[in-house]
Amino acid sequence: MATARSSWSRLTIALLALTIVSIALPAPATVSGQNGKIVFVTERDGNAEIYLMDSDGSNLVNLTQNTLGNYDPDWSPDGRLLVLVTASEITTIEVDVAAWWSLFHGEHPAWSPDGGRFAFNRAGAIYVAGHFGTPMIRITEPAAMPLPIGITSVTDSSPAWSPDGSQVAFVRSYEGPTAKFTELFTASASCGEWALFDTLATDFPVSQCAIRSPVRLPVTAWGLDGPDWSPDGTRIAVEAIAADNANSSIVVVNADGSSGATLPMPSGIDHASTPEWSPDGRQMAVTMHGPAISQDIYVMNADGSNPINLTNSPGPDYQPAWQPLNPYPVGLVDRTGLWHFRATDGAISTLWYGNGISSDIPFMGDWDCDGEDTVGVYRPSDGYVYLRNSNTDGIGDVRFFLGNPGDEPLPGDFDGDGCDTVSVYRGAETRVYVSNHLGSDDRGLGEADYSYVFGNPGDKPFVGDFNGDGIDTVGLHRESTGMVYYRNNHSQGVADNTFVFGDPGDLMFAGDWNGDGIESPAVFRSRTSTFYFKFTNTQGIADAQFIWGELPFGPSCPSQALPVAGDFDNS
């Protein structure tokens, strides 16, 4: 298939200064793709407004244009919406059309990776809430903490989601008449059971999670603020503040609590705050200022090197948030036949094609050799192929019969001529039938160019150029075990490579995800609406993931979608 080849101890009051183990950090994960725009808070207009800019500081746009005071912006996972605090209300904005929705009271909102929830702090604890009218769930319980000597209150704030949505990092603050310190924790964001919590005045009912003990990470300071997870989920960056706010710096700790390090700061800078990882994990946006340097938004490498002032204004400018982008052109097709594409620039487009996934199997390929992958479907009930030469609504431009009812389609460039055709896998025979030409005029395709046996009954086929020779061959995914098999030529024989990737039930496809000219597998896990990408044809965990966000046809039926992938935006 012509898929995309586009160029994350006991507490004591003596812990008043930063305490952290200093150790070399692991290299940032290599993730292909682009970085999105950056929003930030600025007071250049005399009040706190949310501005948008490109990642190089150009093309400034005032998004809020009000005098209410706007703070704590965070992007939705699809990069289209913002959540922020306006006049003590947690509010969402649709960036392109400036439409506003006021939700509920709270501070420091953070949008979950699946797009369906918000974490925020309120009344000294961390809560999770869904969209309009759904219960608030409390996931931390600082009031139940035993108080260290000299401490009279404990509060939790500044939640940040892990990339997989399973955990929330937060800051726990301990204060007393003469002492103060803060620590960094992570807590589970899932609920084993819910119970009625209390009668705290809220906008809708409040429930309490079966709260699990949070995990303390190895960073303690007089003050901590603004934790943010790396895109690969292995590290957390946080602002560490010295006593009485004399200075502050950015600390990066491993999310498993094993180690951490303080990042260097530029000359003349004594305060660095609100770290925000770039979508590709290679950079951070950070608020910085010094005695003679205004408070501006900087971008630097993830190790603290090469800081660049993006805003350079009288400001002050602070609280940057980096727009997430999907660097992999993938899509979903729902039960109605509506295709949902998410391109590498974050744009979402839709089109109607086919009769829906209950009767058609969707796929993409370059049918007319113009370099753009377009839609196609195979109807297993009668063996009919319908192909479009543009990603627009309409009937099939190319229509023909292929194989037998019940066959599974294999789209790909099987002879290396730069044009995709459609072949089939006949599961009942475990046989591959390869055709290097397309049919036409509602007629049958004719005899296959290659035919060979491969795999076991129940294996699911997919296609890719697994050795970089320009020719697509057939792979198989054994869903019951997660085992992957593939051949590097169109002949009968044992697999040229085997390895395990993904979980049982994942839906597999392939693409050149890191631009090295070799295609490797990816899976779509419908229960979490997450794509997982492997950059090499080897066993191991995913090299990158992308959470689609809230599914367009409703979160109650995530299994009613099939993944597609292709170079549909000419990237």
Side-chain angles (χ1 to χ4, degrees):
M1 181 174 63
T3 51
R5 293 172 170 86
S6 56
S7 18
W8 154 335
S9 137
R10 177 156 172 83
L11 303 176
T12 69
I13 59 173
L15 297 172
L16 302 180
L18 174 64
T19 302
I20 186 165
V21 177
S22 181
I23 192 168
L25 292 171
T30 300
V31 181
S32 64
Q34 311 168 58
N35 291 323
K37 296 178 180 291
I38 297 174
V39 293
F40 62 99
V41 179
T42 181
E43 297 180 20
R44 66 187 68 193
D45 298 331
N47 57 285
E49 300 267 30
I50 306 296
Y51 270 53
L52 175 73
M53 64 180 174
D54 291 345
S55 58
D56 62 1
S58 62
N59 298 319
L60 283 170
V61 178
N62 184 338
L63 295 181
T64 49
Q65 298 182 351
N66 63 52
T67 59
L68 298 175
N70 307 275
Y71 305 94
D72 300 324
D74 190 48
W75 289 93
S76 63
D78 61 12
R80 296 184 304 112
L81 306 174
L82 285 173
V83 63
L84 63 148
V85 175
T86 299
S88 300
E89 290 279 340
I90 291 179
T91 303
T92 58
I93 303 177
E94 189 168 354
V95 173
D96 290 340
V97 298
W100 291 61
W101 298 272
S102 183
L103 301 179
F104 42 76
H105 294 293
E107 297 177 307
H108 299 287
W111 215 312
S112 67
D114 65 6
R117 297 170 293 169
F118 303 102
F120 58 97
N121 55 270
R122 177 173 177 166
I126 305 298
Y127 292 79
V128 170
H131 291 302
F132 309 96
T134 57
M136 291 183 184
I137 307 301
R138 191 175 69 174
I139 64 171
T140 72
E141 198 171 15
M145 285 285 299
L147 297 177
I149 297 172
I151 297 299
T152 57
S153 67
V154 183
T155 57
D156 296 338
S157 64
S158 302
W161 291 90
S162 63
D164 65 2
S166 66
Q167 298 179 80
V168 172
F170 64 94
V171 171
R172 176 160 287 174
S173 300
Y174 304 81
E175 294 195 49
T178 60
K180 173 183 176 179
F181 65 94
T182 55
E183 295 184 317
L184 183 63
F185 284 83
T186 59
S188 172
S190 62
C191 291
E193 57 183 278
W194 293 358
L196 291 178
F197 169 38
D198 57 23
T199 57
L200 179 70
T202 61
D203 303 299
F204 41 78
V206 179
S207 299
Q208 180 180 2
C209 267
I211 295 175
R212 299 169 176 84
S213 298
V215 177
R216 177 182 172 271
L217 298 183
V219 53
T220 300
W222 182 84
L224 294 171
D225 198 16
D228 189 53
W229 294 74
S230 62
D232 62 5
T234 63
R235 292 164 292 165
I236 300 173
V238 65
E239 175 191 5
I241 308 167
D244 298 321
N245 200 26
N247 57 71
S248 61
S249 56
I250 304 302
V251 170
V252 178
V253 294
N254 291 333
D256 63 4
S258 59
S259 61
T262 301
L263 300 185
M265 288 194 296
S267 176
I269 298 292
D270 61 8
H271 282 80
S273 61
T274 59
E276 174 82 5
W277 294 86
S278 64
D280 66 4
R282 297 185 175 120
Q283 295 178 295
M284 285 186 200
V286 179
T287 304
M288 293 186 182
H289 67 96
I293 299 175
S294 62
Q295 183 171 294
D296 290 315
I297 306 299
Y298 287 70
V299 165
M300 62 185 185
N301 294 335
D303 62 1
S305 63
N306 193 33
I308 299 172
N309 189 336
L310 295 186
T311 55
N312 197 24
S313 76
D317 303 327
Y318 50 98
Q319 293 180 346
W322 217 314
Q323 181 188 31
L325 289 183
N326 165 35
Y328 314 104
V330 293
L332 291 173
V333 184
D334 69 25
R335 63 186 184 276
T336 68
L338 185 61
W339 297 55
H340 307 260
F341 297 119
R342 178 162 290 152
T344 54
D345 64 357
I348 297 175
S349 59
T350 60
L351 66 90
W352 294 98
Y353 194 63
N355 291 340
I357 62 175
S358 60
S359 60
D360 292 343
I361 299 176
F363 51 82
M364 303 194 75
D366 183 4
W367 319 122
D368 59 0
C369 316
D370 66 351
E372 180 184 14
D373 290 336
T374 51
V375 298
V377 297
Y378 181 71
R379 193 157 293 161
S381 61
D382 57 13
Y384 220 112
V385 176
Y386 301 85
L387 308 177
R388 288 278 293 163
N389 285 326
S390 63
N391 288 315
T392 56
D393 296 338
I395 62 173
D397 296 302
V398 181
R399 302 152 56 99
F400 57 93
F401 285 102
L402 174 65
N404 293 342
D407 288 348
E408 297 178 75
L410 301 174
D413 180 3
F414 301 109
D415 59 0
D417 67 352
C419 304
D420 284 337
T421 57
V422 184
S423 301
V424 295
Y425 182 71
R426 189 161 297 160
E429 304 173 0
T430 64
R431 182 173 289 274
V432 179
Y433 293 89
V434 175
S435 296
N436 287 323
H437 61 282
L438 297 174
S440 62
D441 302 324
D442 297 296
R443 295 179 296 189
L445 187 59
E447 186 176 353
D449 293 289
Y450 306 101
S451 171
Y452 56 93
V453 172
F454 186 41
N456 291 343
D459 290 346
K460 298 297 182 182
F462 65 103
V463 171
D465 179 6
F466 305 114
N467 62 355
D469 65 355
I471 297 175
D472 287 336
T473 53
V474 176
L476 296 172
H477 182 220
R478 194 157 295 165
E479 293 185 345
S480 61
T481 63
M483 187 68 74
V484 178
Y485 307 79
Y486 66 78
R487 295 274 298 157
N488 282 325
N489 58 72
H490 294 296
S491 63
Q492 190 162 315
V494 298
D496 292 300
N497 192 13
T498 63
F499 55 92
V500 173
F501 180 57
D503 288 349
D506 288 348
L507 303 176
M508 183 162 287
F509 51 99
D512 182 4
W513 311 121
N514 63 349
D516 66 354
I518 297 175
E519 298 191 336
S520 50
V523 296
F524 175 65
R525 189 164 299 161
S526 61
R527 69 179 182 272
T528 59
S529 69
T530 302
F531 291 85
Y532 296 90
F533 303 91
K534 196 83 175 73
F535 293 166
T536 58
N537 289 302
T538 57
Q539 189 158 315
I541 62 173
D543 294 294
Q545 68 180 47
F546 172 70
I547 299 179
W548 182 273
E550 190 168 9
L551 296 173
F553 37 86
S556 62
C557 48
S559 62
Q560 299 192 27
L562 291 178
V564 291
D567 190 5
F568 47 77
D569 64 348
N570 278 315
S571 60

